[in-house]
Amino acid sequence: MTHLWVRSEQRDNEKRTPLTPEGAKTLLEQGLRVSVEESPHRILPIAEFKAAGCEIVAQNSWTKAPDNAIILGLKELPEDGTALRHRHIMFGHAFKGQHSGAALLKRFKAGQGTLYDLEYLTDEAGKRVAAFGYWAGYVGAAVSLKCWHAQQQGETCPALTPYQGQEHLLSDLKQDLNAIASHPRPNALVIGALGRVGRGASDLCTAMNLAVTQWDIKETAHGGPFPEILEHDLFFNCILATPEAPVFVDKSALTRARRLSVIGDIACDPDSDYNPIPIYRSATTWAKPALTVADPPRLDVMAIDNLPSLLPLESSQDFAAQLLPWLMKLDKLSAGVWSRAETVFKHKVREV
């Protein structure tokens, strides 16, 4: 019997879940065994998983799970250096030259475990089968707008806390903008506008009545430079770091004449060798959303890597619905999306 073990997230401010109680019930009806760790943070209460028929286990007990259990989570594991013997489904952030990725892969190598990276679950055409992209874009644009609002008052964006829902987020932003109604509303440029992340960022801009310029591969194919970025108030990077990605904003922009005052690096790969915005080197946080990289004129970078957790309910429901059909195929790890993800892992783990 395939055994899926849903672990509690251990990262601060992480309230999302990759499986809902309704999804767990479907898996149980398919014949899977589903264990769910207790969690004081998960947006969906443990009582709903219990009512669905799941086995409830102690928080952070996955290290003692049976060898054949498949551990399902979202964000990174504690960096304690221990060997990893299980099969893990999560975002590993280890395959694109991230400096912390090698350490994680060495742990899998030592324990002979396997990483099925959620970012590398792809269909036959190479398209990801499940992603938080839309809500990352939506929330990333919202937080960047909050950074801009704070700038207009000579302040820095305050600490963030999750919203109860999308309408609460929009209401908060409208209140911010109404408080500075004498200021013209900013305009924005979105790169990657045809993708999930870019659509989310563009939709937030539309909801807030911001003028938005939408770019994708066609507009960036020439490789730069991109002076148009500096002519917008807000710039949202919505494409992942890859060896082929051009540099959008380099250090020369810090001293050039520009209108640009906030960069929302929603893709957020600051420690990648292929970072397309190499003017900063570490992600920002919920406690300090904005990093000032130039002043004057002031330029802030917003680069939070778990943005969808600001709307944990909507983002969890969306992602879990995308992932569920593939979890239903966990008994066929040697085929399809799981096989492709394992092939990527095996190739990368040989390099460490």
Side-chain angles (χ1 to χ4, degrees):
M1 176 186 294
T2 301
H3 185 184
L4 184 66
W5 186 291
V6 182
R7 62 178 171 85
S8 173
E9 299 295 328
Q10 293 177 259
R11 179 173 181 157
D12 291 343
N13 299 309
E14 188 52 79
K15 296 178 176 292
R16 294 173 295 172
T17 175
L19 183 69
T20 64
E22 294 79 9
K25 184 177 180 180
T26 297
L27 295 179
L28 291 165
E29 291 171 348
Q30 290 281 323
L32 276 71
R33 177 183 175 187
V34 181
S35 300
V36 180
E37 290 186 0
E38 295 177 321
S39 170
H41 310 296
R42 188 183 294 121
I43 188 63
L44 297 173
I46 196 67
E48 294 185 10
F49 287 94
K50 184 175 182 179
C54 299
E55 172 189 12
I56 308 304
V57 293
Q59 182 181 4
N60 304 331
S61 60
W62 61 267
T63 57
K64 300 177 182 178
D67 288 348
N68 67 344
I70 301 172
I71 313 300
L72 173 63
L74 288 176
K75 301 304 287 185
E76 63 267 34
L77 302 171
E79 296 181 0
D80 57 14
T82 56
L84 298 171
R85 61 186 172 85
H86 291 100
R87 294 167 291 178
H88 284 259
I89 303 171
M90 66 175 185
F91 288 103
H93 303 295
F95 295 165
K96 296 185 297 181
Q98 293 99 326
H99 300 154
S100 60
L104 178 64
L105 291 175
K106 287 178 180 177
R107 294 172 64 189
F108 275 105
K109 192 171 187 177
Q112 298 184 9
T114 302
L115 169 61
Y116 297 96
D117 196 303
L118 286 164
E119 189 176 328
Y120 290 82
L121 295 185
T122 60
D123 61 20
E124 293 179 353
K127 182 179 179 181
R128 288 175 61 180
V129 300
F132 282 103
Y134 180 85
W135 292 106
Y138 196 94
V139 174
V143 176
S144 298
L145 185 56
K146 290 188 72 66
C147 291
W148 179 87
H149 167 258
Q151 281 185 352
Q152 309 316 302
Q153 302 180 98
E155 301 173 355
T156 301
C157 185
L160 304 171
T161 55
Y163 288 88
Q164 294 180 357
Q166 181 180 6
E167 291 306 314
H168 292 84
L169 171 61
L170 293 176
S171 176
D172 184 39
L173 291 176
K174 290 174 182 177
Q175 184 175 344
D176 283 349
L177 292 179
N178 288 339
I180 55 169
S182 60
H183 289 69
R185 292 206 173 189
N187 62 4
L189 188 150
V190 177
I191 290 184
L194 298 182
R196 297 173 182 172
V197 182
R199 289 199 302 270
S202 297
D203 284 354
L204 185 282
C205 291
T206 299
M208 300 309 299
N209 296 318
L210 307 187
V212 56
T213 301
Q214 296 176 304
W215 280 11
D216 210 86
I217 294 175
K218 178 182 177 181
E219 292 81 5
T220 61
H222 64 83
F226 304 100
E228 298 91 342
I229 293 175
L230 304 185
E231 297 168 4
H232 289 75
D233 298 292
L234 309 173
F235 164 52
F236 302 131
N237 172 45
C238 300
I239 69 164
L240 295 173
T242 66
E244 297 79 23
V247 172
F248 297 130
V249 181
D250 62 19
K251 290 184 179 180
S252 70
L254 303 182
T255 56
R256 291 166 58 189
R258 53 180 160 76
R259 180 173 176 174
L260 181 67
S261 62
V262 175
I263 296 173
D265 189 8
I266 300 170
C268 191
D269 277 315
D271 63 345
S272 171
D273 293 335
Y274 314 119
N275 177 14
I277 306 175
I279 60 173
Y280 77 109
R281 276 304 187 187
S282 60
T284 60
T285 66
W286 290 71
K288 296 182 178 180
L291 171 68
T292 299
V293 294
D295 193 12
R298 183 168 163 184
L299 178 60
D300 288 343
V301 174
M302 186 293 304
I304 298 172
D305 64 358
N306 63 335
L307 284 164
S309 201
L310 195 63
L311 285 178
L313 181 59
E314 288 92 344
S315 60
S316 291
Q317 291 172 334
D318 183 19
F319 184 83
Q322 296 174 58
L323 184 61
L324 181 60
W326 311 104
L327 295 178
M328 294 168 65
K329 298 181 179 181
L330 280 175
D331 59 341
K332 299 177 181 178
L333 286 173
S334 60
V337 298
W338 304 110
S339 176
R340 285 187 285 273
E342 185 172 358
T343 296
V344 176
F345 166 75
K346 287 181 176 179
H347 172 73
K348 294 294 183 178
V349 82
R350 283 196 297 267
E351 297 177 351
V352 299

